[in-house]
Amino acid sequence: MNQPFIKQEKIRFQHVDYAGIVFYPRFLEMLNCLVEDWFEEALDRPFSKMHETNGIPTVDLKVQFKKAARLGAVLTKKLWVKHLGGASIVCGFSFEDEQENTCLEGEVTLVNVAFNEDRNDIKAAPFNEEMKMKISKYII
C-alpha cells in the first residue's frame, strides 16, 4: 500500500498574525515547501536544478481551512497523488496538529512544463517513464 509524503513543521512567529494563529497565506507557503521537498527528497528532482530547463507550476488549488494553528504547534503535513496524467499531477494534502485535528486540507494540480531557450514560451511536457514510476509510489 502506498503512503503519503510526510513532513513536520513548527509554527513560528513568522507564520502568525496578531492573534497568534497562522495567517492564511503562510499555509500556502508551507504547502509550496511541502511540494518542493517532495520533489527533492522523494522524486530526486530538486527545484534548484529543475527550474533551469523546466518547471512544475500550480494550475489549480482548492483549500479548506478547518482549524486554526497556533504559534509553537507542530503540524504534520501530508501529500499524496490522487491522479497522475501525462503532464499533470493532482495531489491531495492535509496539515494536522499534534492532536491529529485537520487544520488545512485540499487539492493542488501541478503541470510539468518545458521552457524554450529564451524562456518566453512555456508548454506542458509529458513526464518521462522514470518520473511516472517515482510519482506513482504516492498514488493513494
Side-chain angles (χ1 to χ4, degrees):
M1 176 96 180
N2 291 346
Q3 299 291 318
F5 179 74
I6 299 173
K7 295 287 283 195
Q8 290 191 317
E9 184 154 354
K10 183 177 183 176
I11 304 301
R12 301 184 182 280
F13 183 72
Q14 70 189 25
H15 298 129
V16 300
D17 60 18
Y18 187 70
I21 59 174
V22 174
F23 180 46
Y24 76 93
R26 302 296 169 255
F27 274 129
L28 303 182
E29 292 171 350
M30 290 180 212
L31 172 61
N32 190 71
C33 290
L34 181 62
V35 169
E36 193 169 335
D37 288 346
W38 180 53
F39 268 82
E40 182 169 354
E41 296 171 23
L43 305 180
D44 194 31
R45 192 175 171 198
F47 276 32
S48 60
K49 293 185 178 153
M50 177 185 7
H51 285 280
E52 294 171 3
T53 58
N54 61 340
I56 191 89
T58 298
V59 298
D60 191 42
L61 179 63
K62 297 173 179 76
V63 180
Q64 291 187 331
F65 301 96
K66 299 287 195 174
K67 183 177 184 298
R70 301 197 173 279
L71 181 62
V74 176
L75 297 179
T76 299
K77 305 185 300 182
K78 299 177 183 178
L79 180 113
W80 60 92
V81 175
K82 296 174 80 170
H83 175 76
L84 172 58
S88 65
I89 314 168
V90 179
C91 295
F93 62 88
S94 67
F95 293 9
E96 297 175 352
D97 64 17
E98 293 108 327
Q99 291 76 40
E100 299 182 2
N101 296 308
T102 301
C103 297
L104 177 83
E105 65 183 8
E107 185 177 281
V108 59
T109 303
L110 309 167
V111 174
N112 190 54
V113 298
F115 308 129
N116 67 355
E117 287 182 21
D118 54 7
R119 297 178 73 95
N120 66 0
D121 191 28
I122 301 171
K123 292 185 179 178
F127 292 108
N128 64 35
E129 289 306 312
E130 178 185 3
M131 186 57 57
K132 283 183 180 181
M133 275 187 18
K134 290 178 180 179
I135 293 168
S136 67
K137 293 177 184 175
Y138 295 91
I139 296 173
I140 296 179

